[in-house]
Structure formats: structure tokens, C-alpha cells
Amino acid sequence: MTRTHAPAATRAVPGGRPGTALPSVGYRPPSAHALDVEVFGVDDLRRRIERGQVAPAHRIEFHQLVLVTHGRCVHAIDFEPIDCAAGSLISVRPSQAQRFDPRRGWSGRVLVFRPEFLLPARARADREPTVRPVELPAHLRLDADELATTAARIEQLRADSSLAAPPALLAPLLRHQLHALLLRLAIARGRHATETSPATPGRLRFERLRALLETRFADWHGVAPYADALGCSEKTLTRACLEATGLAAKAVVAARVNLEAKRLLAHTALPVGSIADRLGFEDTAHFVKFFRREVGETPGAFRARFVEASGAVRARFVEASGADEGDARWRTGHGPA
């Protein structure tokens, strides 16, 4: 059973046993229309964390955009802390692990939606750009005008989601508003890029690999099964990975396995042997050898270093903002995502 995303008005569904799995937050729409998109305030999410309805560190099963409108915070995505201020837009993809900053003193809006809610490709003209959240950077800094426009578009989405309208009309309205918002964010991102990466066959093949990795990383540790599933040779898949990331396909696959290992080591109390089993290794020794080769240290050393680093981060939070209720609850967690 997983934790289920729930707005303030909806009861949360408890997750798995503490310490044995990284809590997963699914999506459950709050309205009678069962919409696939929702907007709520940072304060709502903070209250859920304080009530224990949502763990500060968790994995999400939907797309999430966090727009910081006031104050400063630190949002962590897969072990990377991001310093945010007013105008920061955080983009988190399905399956990523994140840690929400529970301290007061900052506010904003959270936009969540299911992947299938995006405007279908067949609904767009051939020359119309394809915009997906996966193409947004984890952190996008908006200027004052862009912040005001983005906040207004998100607020319009929130207001329109409560319209008394048939779902057959309301869903397309919200879907097109979301698509328009993503186009605006793509334009904002263009301010920081010298050129837009073309959607070449290689890049499209890499995107398919990345999607497949999310479901098979514990089953397939080699390149061959992925190449077979994607209908191409291992060399072709490696060329696609090199084009998109600069890494060979073997390294891309290994990185995904190690990311999951790091998540489990950092955010759970699972023994190393149990983690090895979850990740599809024949035995613990094989997993330890694999992890050491790819990461440069043993799983136990990584876990110990992470715990030590998390304590230092929490100390900086307390020093910067004082020990309030949010800080106290932060101290009881496992540390940044």
C-alpha cells in the first residue's frame, strides 16, 4: 500500500511500515469530477507533513511543479539540494524522491498532475512544439514578470478546476491551460539556453529507454534486454545515450540502479542484503561490488556519510531559522532527499 496524495479536505492513505520503504505518494483527485490536475498552497502541504499524513522525504507518482512566491527554502530532489527564493520553479518527475522544506517563512503554489493529463500529441498541429515537464530543468529561475504571469496562470487553473461544469468540458479546458503554462515555461527556459535540443531519433530513443528503466531497472541490469525491448541494437542504444547524456548505455542503466540503491540506503532502515534483493542482485556480495565500482564506496559507507551530512544540513537549518515546530519535525526525519 502507498501513501496517496490528498488535499487538505481529503483523508490521506497511510503508507508502508516506517523504515522499511521510501514512502510513495500517489495521486487521488479531491473533486467529484475526478480531475487529473490539482493546485494547492504550500501551507496545505506543510500542514499535511506536520500531521504525519505525508513524510517530508518521499517519492511521487505524478508530475509536480512548485512555484515559490515569497521567502526562501531548500528543496531536495534525489540527493541534490536546491536553494530557492521567490521566482524559483521546481519541477519533479514521477518516481523521483524529494524532500520538502517544512520550515515556515516561505510560501507558494503546488501544481500536480498525472502524466496522462498532458495534451496528446495527436491533438497538436505538426509544427506545434511538444512540451513535457521532463524537458524542464529541476530548478528554473523566473524574473519578476515571469513570476507574476506564472502565478496568475496557476491561480487560474486552481479557480477553473472548481467550476460547476461537465467533466467533458472542464477537463479539456484545464488540459489546454496546463499546456499553455508549460509553453510559457519553455519560453522562460529559453532565456538560459543558447539553442534548443532537436527531437532527433536518438533523443527520442533515449526518452523511451528512460521510461523503460523506471519499470525494469530491478530486472534488467544489462543493455541487451533494453535494446531488444526498444527494437534496436546495443550499439544504436549506446549512440542514443551518448547523444543525450554523454554516457554509454551501460553507464545510464547502472546509474538508475545506483540511484534506487542510494534512495533505499538514505531513506530507509533496510539491511543492505534486503536492498540487494529488491534491486535484483543474486546476493549481497554482488551488490556491494557493483555499488563500490559505480559509486566509489560501499553501501554502508554511503549510508553513514549521508546520515552525517544530513545532521550538518539540519544544524544549518536550525541556526538559520531557529528551532520552531517545523524544524523539530525536520530533525526527526531521515535527511534531505
Side-chain angles (χ1 to χ4, degrees):
M1 182 183 295
T2 61
R3 290 183 185 269
T4 301
H5 167 74
T10 304
R11 184 176 60 186
V13 175
R17 292 174 295 165
T20 60
L22 180 61
S24 181
V25 180
Y27 181 87
R28 184 173 64 190
S31 71
H33 293 161
L35 300 173
D36 287 335
V37 61
E38 183 190 1
V39 177
F40 51 92
V42 164
D43 288 342
D44 291 337
L45 182 55
R46 184 181 292 115
R47 282 192 291 269
R48 286 178 233 170
I49 291 175
E50 292 176 350
R51 294 168 183 167
Q53 295 174 318
V54 177
H58 55 263
R59 185 202 310 266
I60 63 173
E61 299 174 1
F62 44 83
H63 287 291
Q64 172 187 283
L65 299 178
V66 180
L67 178 66
V68 180
T69 55
H70 300 91
R72 302 186 67 89
C73 65
V74 177
H75 197 98
I77 303 175
D78 282 335
F79 308 98
E80 294 295 331
I82 303 172
D83 292 317
C84 304
S88 288
L89 182 90
I90 303 300
S91 177
V92 190
R93 302 191 304 271
S95 83
Q96 286 190 308
Q98 66 172 344
R99 174 173 273 279
F100 176 83
D101 188 340
R103 295 174 299 167
R104 294 179 176 85
W106 70 281
S107 59
R109 285 291 187 183
V110 182
L111 168 63
V112 299
F113 56 94
R114 287 185 171 130
E116 56 267 31
F117 191 69
L118 293 173
L119 193 65
R122 63 178 179 275
R124 300 189 293 264
D126 291 341
R127 295 185 179 180
E128 187 173 341
T130 298
V131 182
R132 293 168 293 173
V134 72
E135 297 169 350
L136 293 176
H139 184 203
L140 180 63
R141 296 186 183 276
L142 305 177
D143 63 28
D145 290 339
E146 291 166 340
L147 171 59
T149 300
T150 301
R153 295 298 179 267
I154 292 177
E155 178 59 24
Q156 189 65 56
L157 260 170
R158 185 202 64 78
D160 286 349
S161 65
S162 300
L163 288 175
L169 297 178
L170 187 56
L173 170 65
L174 299 179
R175 182 176 293 114
H176 280 80
Q177 288 179 346
L178 175 61
H179 188 63
L181 172 63
L182 294 177
L183 283 170
R184 287 183 178 276
L185 294 176
I187 292 172
R189 181 190 184 187
R191 294 186 299 109
H192 308 287
T194 56
E195 61 180 12
T196 301
S197 299
T200 64
R203 287 186 174 274
L204 294 175
R205 184 172 287 111
F206 172 75
E207 292 297 332
R208 292 172 60 200
L209 169 64
R210 184 155 62 175
L212 190 57
L213 269 169
E214 292 306 314
T215 61
R216 304 311 297 266
F217 64 84
D219 303 313
W220 300 341
H221 293 174
V223 176
Y226 293 99
D228 290 342
L230 296 175
C232 66
S233 68
E234 293 183 46
K235 289 184 178 180
T236 298
L237 192 55
T238 289
R239 284 196 297 269
C241 292
L242 288 170
E243 177 185 346
T245 69
L247 298 174
K250 181 180 179 181
V252 170
V253 172
R256 182 61 186 89
V257 177
N258 272 306
L259 173 58
E260 197 68 20
K262 289 178 178 178
R263 288 171 174 171
L264 294 172
L265 288 166
H267 300 300
T268 79
L270 282 170
V272 172
S274 297
I275 293 176
D277 183 63
R278 286 194 178 204
L279 295 179
F281 288 89
E282 296 179 356
D283 53 50
T284 304
H286 186 196
F287 167 61
V288 171
K289 181 179 179 180
F290 172 85
F291 191 89
R292 187 202 295 269
R293 183 181 71 240
E294 299 296 330
V295 180
E297 60 185 339
T298 66
F302 171 84
R303 175 175 268 168
R305 182 171 57 82
F306 181 84
V307 170
E308 181 180 358
S310 297
V313 170
R314 291 193 296 270
R316 289 198 298 271
F317 283 162
V318 173
E319 181 181 356
S321 61
D324 59 16
E325 181 181 3
D327 292 317
R329 292 181 183 275
W330 178 279
R331 288 196 296 272
T332 64
H334 286 288

